[in-house]
Amino acid sequence: MAFRVMSINSLKQATLLGELLARSFSTGPKNIGFVGLGNMGHAMASNLISKGHKLHVFDISADAKDALKAKGATTYDNVSELSKASDFVVTMLPNNDIVANTYDSILAGGINTSTFFIDSSTIDPNVAKAVQQKVKAAGATFVDAPVSGGVPGAKNATLTFMVGGTADEYETVKGILEGMGKKITHCGGYGMGQAAKVCNNMMLGISMCGLAECMNLAIRLGLDPKVFADIINASTGRSWASEINNPVPGVIPTAPAANSYAGGFATGLITKDLGIASAVATTTNTPIPLGALTHQIYRTLMAKGLANKDFSVVYDFIKNDKA
């Protein structure tokens, strides 16, 4: 009879994961680090505090850190010390380079091999895989777990998390993520959470452009925008954009359009995400004609200085096009 001999490294990894699973399922507050306290990150970290967890936070903005400190979080001046004080670390950052540089800084300062890293940024799946390999080489654990649901979902703890990692790693982080979201889905191996998110955000950008175009046409035909919005939301044209983030000012009082397109999901971020979609489509030889066109539309908005406006500002752009 042949026996499989587990290597020392594999045994250590299995033991560590077992300890993490036990810690995940244990009751009581946990030490959770949170890096990136923007519109989404602030709300997500706040929900973890409300669940009774002890938060350790970092952001390049002193005001962002102070806002969480006022809620009971401990603030840090660097990500390395934060990670050493945390059992779990959640990163919520703007782009590929910032994510990669942040993890390089964490690893350069030395890490506890028992720390479990969760990246909820939206980045290239290949970058997520590269970071996972670096963290694993240092002896710790990393999963990609990007989110969908926007600022409203972050505030209400109803986000959808798309997790890339092993089944055991998914079970380890699920309880933490449930403190910030409503639907936690295991998408497959490392990078598959990011793959799901990139495709989802391409759909989001396409649907917002389509909604803006149709709302503009309906208004020019003489329809009341609120009446037409109600029709869409009771018909086959319904989408997250139409129900939550209608781009026409005054249709939804809580939407960014009602506040000069301030807040929400920035045009700069959807443009970045569409760029990732275009890049991975090229590497997989996948045609994305609508995705590519949407990317060009948002690049035009960027060129017009609208990067910090909510991405529903595309309606304002289309509305003023007399062609």
Side-chain angles (χ1 to χ4, degrees):
M1 181 181 294
F3 293 93
R4 177 179 294 174
V5 179
M6 182 177 287
S7 70
I8 293 176
N9 285 338
S10 296
L11 183 59
K12 286 181 179 178
Q13 288 277 343
T15 301
L16 175 59
L17 192 53
E19 292 173 353
L20 287 168
L21 277 166
R23 187 188 308 154
S24 174
F25 291 124
S26 66
T27 58
K30 299 175 179 64
N31 283 295
I32 301 176
F34 207 106
V35 180
L37 305 172
N39 290 334
M40 295 284 290
H42 175 92
M44 292 163 68
S46 297
N47 285 326
L48 290 173
I49 291 174
S50 71
K51 297 293 183 180
H53 298 298
K54 181 173 176 54
L55 263 288
H56 307 267
V57 301
F58 173 83
D59 194 277
I60 58 173
S61 166
D63 289 342
K65 289 194 294 185
D66 288 343
L68 265 297
K69 184 177 182 179
K71 296 183 177 182
T74 301
T75 62
Y76 288 77
D77 293 327
N78 64 77
V79 290
S80 178
E81 293 305 313
L82 174 147
S83 71
K84 291 175 184 177
S86 307
D87 299 320
F88 295 84
V89 174
V90 180
T91 48
M92 187 67 179
L93 300 164
N95 58 48
N96 290 336
D97 290 343
I98 294 176
V99 170
N101 291 337
T102 296
Y103 276 91
D104 283 344
S105 295
I106 290 172
L107 295 173
I111 60 172
N112 298 324
T113 56
S114 60
T115 303
F116 202 117
F117 295 91
I118 306 166
D119 183 46
S120 291
S121 316
T122 299
I123 58 174
D124 188 312
N126 293 314
V127 174
K129 292 176 183 178
V131 171
Q132 185 275 330
Q133 290 170 359
K134 288 183 178 181
V135 172
K136 181 180 179 181
T141 308
F142 170 97
V143 297
D144 50 294
V147 302
S148 181
V151 175
K155 290 180 177 178
N156 297 320
T158 56
L159 293 168
T160 293
F161 283 86
M162 295 154 266
V163 183
T166 68
D168 284 344
E169 290 164 352
Y170 165 73
E171 292 297 335
T172 302
V173 302
K174 186 178 180 183
I176 300 295
L177 300 182
E178 285 174 339
M180 302 177 283
K182 188 175 181 180
K183 183 174 178 60
I184 320 299
T185 301
H186 185 210
C187 298
Y190 305 117
M192 290 303 98
Q194 294 296 349
K197 179 61 191 296
V198 167
C199 293
N200 177 79
N201 275 24
M202 184 172 76
M203 183 69 252
L204 176 64
I206 292 170
S207 64
M208 180 57 80
C209 285
L211 176 64
E213 194 171 282
C214 292
M215 290 297 299
N216 185 52
L217 175 60
I219 291 168
R220 289 192 184 186
L221 287 171
L223 281 163
D224 181 287
K226 290 186 177 180
V227 170
F228 183 58
D230 286 342
I231 291 170
I232 288 178
N233 289 331
S235 304
T236 53
R238 185 174 67 250
S239 67
W240 180 88
S242 68
E243 289 186 313
I244 306 298
N245 198 21
N246 192 291
V248 179
V251 171
I252 299 178
T254 56
N259 188 31
S260 300
Y261 301 99
F265 185 35
T267 291
L269 292 178
I270 191 69
T271 306
K272 177 264 295 183
D273 294 350
L274 290 164
I276 293 173
S278 294
V280 296
T282 298
T283 60
T284 56
N285 196 28
T286 305
I288 54 164
L290 292 179
L293 176 58
T294 302
H295 187 206
Q296 288 303 115
I297 290 171
Y298 278 105
R299 287 182 65 187
T300 300
L301 297 185
M302 291 280 288
K304 291 184 175 292
L306 299 172
N308 293 323
K309 294 290 188 179
D310 180 75
F311 78 120
S312 59
V313 75
V314 68
Y315 168 76
D316 198 57
F317 171 70
I318 291 173
K319 177 190 72 175
N320 292 318
D321 187 354
K322 305 299 182 183

